Amino acid sequence: MQYVLLIYGDPAAAEEMSEEDGRAMMAEYFEYTEGLRRSGAYVSGEPLESAQTATTVRQRDGQQVISDGPFAETREVLGGFYVLECDSLDQALEHAGRCPGARYGSIEVRPVMVMPATA
Amino acid sequence: MTSQAAAVDRVFRSEFGRAVALLARVLGDIGLAEDAVQDAYLAALRRWPADGVPDNPRAWIVAVARNRAIDRLRRDRVLERHTEELTRRAEDEMKRYDESADDDTIPDERLRLIFTCCHPALATEAQVALTLRLVAGLTVPEIARALLAAEPTIAQRLVRAKHKVRAAGIPVRVPPDDQLTDRLASTLAVVYLIFNEGYVATSGPQLRRDDLAGEAIRLGRVISTLMPDEPEAAGLLALMLLQHSRRDARTDAAGEVVLIGRQDRSQWHRDEIAEGIALTERALRMTRTPGRYALEAAIAAVHAQAATAEDTDWWQIAALYEMLLRVSPSPMAALSRSVAVSMAQGPAAGLALADSIAAEGSLAHSHLLHATRADMLGRLGRSQEAAAAYRTAIDQAGNEAERRLLQRKLADLPEPSQPRTNG
């Protein structure tokens, strides 16, 4: 099964982080990603630019409505994601628990929906 | 209900969890397993009254449920929810359990099912409903009655929980060793929650619902039998047995609460006490660092061993609460220790502890804190303060029977000028 780890964090806390701490965190993420690759779970993953760069699009009554920022104003915003191949939720939760972001913010683990074969 | 239908119900009540567990492991799908065993139940209702209960009902149920599961898999395969391979694998695996199988060849897989139902990815209320339905084999109306909830609420809760187990890939297995301690603790917590829901209804006019407490004991017995080396599994079963042994003495003929000090000890169930004490001793022998259930069971065992309330070894109980607070600190355990200390050393020492709990604030809305302080104040002859504390407790009690007990105690307070000695 595939799972997406959605990494949520508080951008204000990230901004206050010293340069040194920021570098340390980057190093942790490199190491974490490398571990995921070695375990065979890694499918893909990317960090995202800040929520300030986000644009939200909606189609309403045939009109495209474009607005600045993410859909909801919450303290924790989506900061990145991984897609993993795991044998069960337990394995996905184990990987999520080791993600550096779990210590600062939270990781939402969502199974990728399995679509019925169409052949 | 006819006696024949009652016989079918009795057999399924004891075999439901085992059959669902076995099929869930083979099929990897708890919903399909439940449906197949339910099919077998309907088949039994049709056939057993005419043919008689089979010699080995367990093997009969597993065989019929297996065939129905395969039918369902084939039907579903047309809908492309299951692959041909899964169907074949299930068929191969299930061939081993035909009607000629004896009890020993049908493994008890309930532990996996319990861990699945109590997985921390499920909300507590979903864990409770799922465990009662799949492992204990209660019907939706029975669960709704036991939890004082509407049937559609429980039905929907179960549908959602089963959907999450399937869609999120919650595995049907006993967790690996590195996760076992935490997962066992949360699983035992679900069982104890079910027990407590039966022991004291948190709201409503009745004090107990024995059925639910009995189901929790059955679940605790399954876990402690299948995990004989886990001290906390034995400890929880011991604790539940010892508490449940007092059920007939906890209320009088009029339905009023009777506290342990005034209970008619001849009404305590001696067989359950004997088993509870033996299990407590076993749990304590298994480890040098007993956990919260073993310690709580030990406390209950000290009460159970006293021939009269006056014979209670309060010093030992206070010492056990000290140990419990180190393992599992909680304001409620601290409050209980204050009671034990007040009995061992006198109300002044107990009140000092209770007051520090009150100052800490987390039990401000618990009627038990105020009732405890009221009792100690009363024993110290501080009747006015005691009366005020009883009134606060009465306001906060959620259960009618408990409220009436507090009102009686308030009415029994002596006049302020007549201090009583420690009794």
Side-chain angles (χ1 to χ4, degrees):
Chain A
M1 283 184 77
Q2 288 198 347
Y3 296 85
V4 184
L5 312 192
L6 299 163
I7 303 161
Y8 285 86
D10 178 2
E15 258 168 50
E16 282 166 22
M17 198 177 269
S18 74
E19 210 173 303
E20 194 182 334
D21 288 350
R23 266 199 304 273
M25 189 160 112
M26 285 286 275
E28 275 186 71
Y29 264 107
F30 279 127
E31 199 180 315
Y32 175 66
T33 307
E34 203 35 53
L36 289 175
R37 281 184 208 278
R38 274 199 305 274
S39 76
Y42 181 86
V43 177
S44 66
E46 303 292 348
L48 301 178
E49 287 287 354
S50 81
Q52 288 169 343
T53 67
T55 310
T56 299
V57 178
R58 267 161 283 195
Q59 284 283 352
R60 293 289 182 276
D61 306 321
Q63 293 278 308
Q64 176 155 297
V65 183
I66 293 175
S67 50
D68 177 37
F71 178 67
E73 287 290 327
T74 53
R75 209 168 62 87
E76 290 201 333
V77 298
L78 185 63
F81 69 91
Y82 287 96
V83 179
L84 304 181
E85 178 70 44
C86 301
D87 67 9
S88 70
L89 180 67
D90 284 354
Q91 202 178 48
L93 295 178
E94 219 177 298
H95 287 308
R98 279 198 290 268
C99 178
R103 295 205 309 279
Y104 311 104
S106 54
I107 316 290
E108 183 176 326
V109 179
R110 291 275 287 271
V112 173
M113 191 187 277
V114 183
M115 302 299 282
T118 47
Chain B
M1 188 184 287
T2 67
S3 67
Q4 289 164 325
V8 175
D9 270 15
R10 241 189 337 270
V11 172
F12 270 80
R13 171 57 67 84
S14 65
E15 294 298 331
F16 194 88
R18 277 189 77 145
V20 171
L22 177 62
L23 268 76
R25 201 257 303 154
V26 175
L27 303 166
D29 185 332
I30 57 169
L32 184 58
E34 180 199 3
D35 291 343
V37 178
Q38 190 64 26
D39 287 346
Y41 168 71
L42 296 175
L45 277 181
R46 280 195 309 274
R47 284 162 52 182
W48 292 6
D51 303 350
V53 176
D55 290 344
N56 185 347
R58 175 177 299 163
W60 188 95
I61 293 167
V62 168
V64 172
R66 170 202 66 185
N67 292 337
R68 296 306 162 94
I70 290 171
D71 288 347
R72 280 174 177 273
L73 271 173
R74 288 192 182 130
R75 216 180 312 145
D76 273 15
R77 213 183 74 211
V78 179
L79 304 173
E80 313 225 12
R81 279 219 336 254
H82 293 92
T83 63
E84 201 175 326
E85 194 215 316
L86 177 63
T87 310
R88 197 167 38 237
R89 207 185 66 202
E91 283 186 64
D92 286 350
E93 173 107 34
M94 296 303 286
K95 274 190 194 126
R96 291 199 276 134
Y97 311 115
D98 59 24
E99 277 183 71
S100 63
D102 57 48
D103 270 15
D104 294 338
T105 59
I106 300 178
D108 190 347
E109 313 257 18
R110 279 177 294 180
L111 205 51
R112 296 164 181 266
L113 186 61
I114 291 172
F115 275 108
T116 306
C117 292
C118 297
H119 196 283
L122 296 167
T124 306
E125 55 182 23
Q127 296 170 330
V128 168
L130 215 49
T131 304
L132 289 175
R133 173 71 194 120
L134 297 185
V135 187
L138 267 61
T139 63
V140 169
E142 285 170 337
I143 298 169
R145 254 199 319 277
L147 300 178
L148 306 175
E151 282 181 33
T153 308
I154 296 299
Q156 196 183 39
R157 198 175 287 171
L158 285 165
V159 167
R160 286 189 181 150
K162 283 182 279 187
H163 175 74
K164 178 156 187 188
V165 170
R166 182 215 295 258
I170 293 176
V172 182
R173 65 164 194 205
V174 175
D177 284 352
D178 62 322
Q179 294 170 13
L180 195 60
T181 308
D182 285 354
R183 291 283 308 279
L184 178 62
S186 62
T187 298
L188 294 176
V190 172
V191 174
Y192 196 40
L193 190 74
I194 292 171
F195 179 80
N196 278 315
E197 191 61 34
Y199 196 54
V200 178
T202 46
S203 60
Q206 285 291 320
L207 185 69
R208 320 189 304 243
R209 282 171 285 151
D210 284 347
D211 289 353
L212 208 48
E215 290 303 332
I217 288 174
R218 274 181 61 202
L219 290 165
R221 203 180 284 287
V222 171
I223 299 175
S224 99
T225 306
L226 296 176
M227 302 185 89
D229 299 328
E230 290 292 342
E232 281 295 84
L236 176 60
L237 178 58
L239 173 61
M240 293 192 295
L241 282 166
L242 289 165
Q243 287 187 3
H244 201 50
S245 73
R246 301 199 293 260
R247 63 190 169 282
D248 294 335
R250 292 187 73 236
T251 47
D252 63 18
E256 301 295 322
V257 179
V258 184
L259 295 179
I260 190 165
R262 298 185 172 211
Q263 286 174 10
D264 172 3
R265 294 180 181 225
S266 71
Q267 290 188 317
W268 290 2
H269 292 245
R270 291 289 148 192
D271 49 341
E272 290 165 6
I273 288 176
E275 188 189 359
I277 289 175
L279 278 162
T280 305
E281 286 169 352
R282 195 157 72 80
L284 293 174
R285 267 201 311 272
M286 266 191 266
T287 171
R288 283 160 61 189
T289 51
R292 63 164 287 206
Y293 295 123
L295 288 168
E296 287 185 56
I299 291 163
V302 176
H303 281 297
Q305 282 164 322
T308 67
E310 290 68 35
D311 292 334
T312 308
D313 184 348
W314 287 106
W315 287 97
Q316 197 185 348
I317 290 177
L320 286 165
Y321 271 117
E322 290 253 14
M323 290 170 73
L324 178 63
L325 282 169
R326 276 198 295 274
V327 176
S328 168
S330 79
M332 212 47 98
L335 186 64
S336 299
R337 179 173 69 127
S338 78
V339 174
V341 167
S342 85
M343 298 305 286
Q345 303 178 37
L351 185 62
L353 289 170
D355 281 346
S356 68
I357 297 163
E360 181 257 334
S362 61
L363 286 185
H365 298 291
S366 164
H367 68 282
L368 291 173
L369 169 65
H370 301 291
T372 301
R373 287 192 69 250
D375 177 69
M376 293 168 181
L377 287 163
R379 283 155 61 197
L380 287 165
R382 291 157 65 177
S383 292
Q384 269 177 340
E385 290 164 87
Y390 273 129
R391 287 193 194 96
T392 311
I394 289 163
D395 281 348
Q396 291 173 354
N399 179 301
E400 283 301 329
E402 288 183 303
R403 194 170 297 132
R404 284 195 302 272
L405 171 77
L406 292 165
Q407 268 152 355
R408 285 201 305 278
K409 293 194 142 205
L410 172 60
D412 285 349
L413 278 175
E415 291 303 308
S417 56
Q418 299 164 357
R420 285 196 296 185
T421 51
N422 176 25

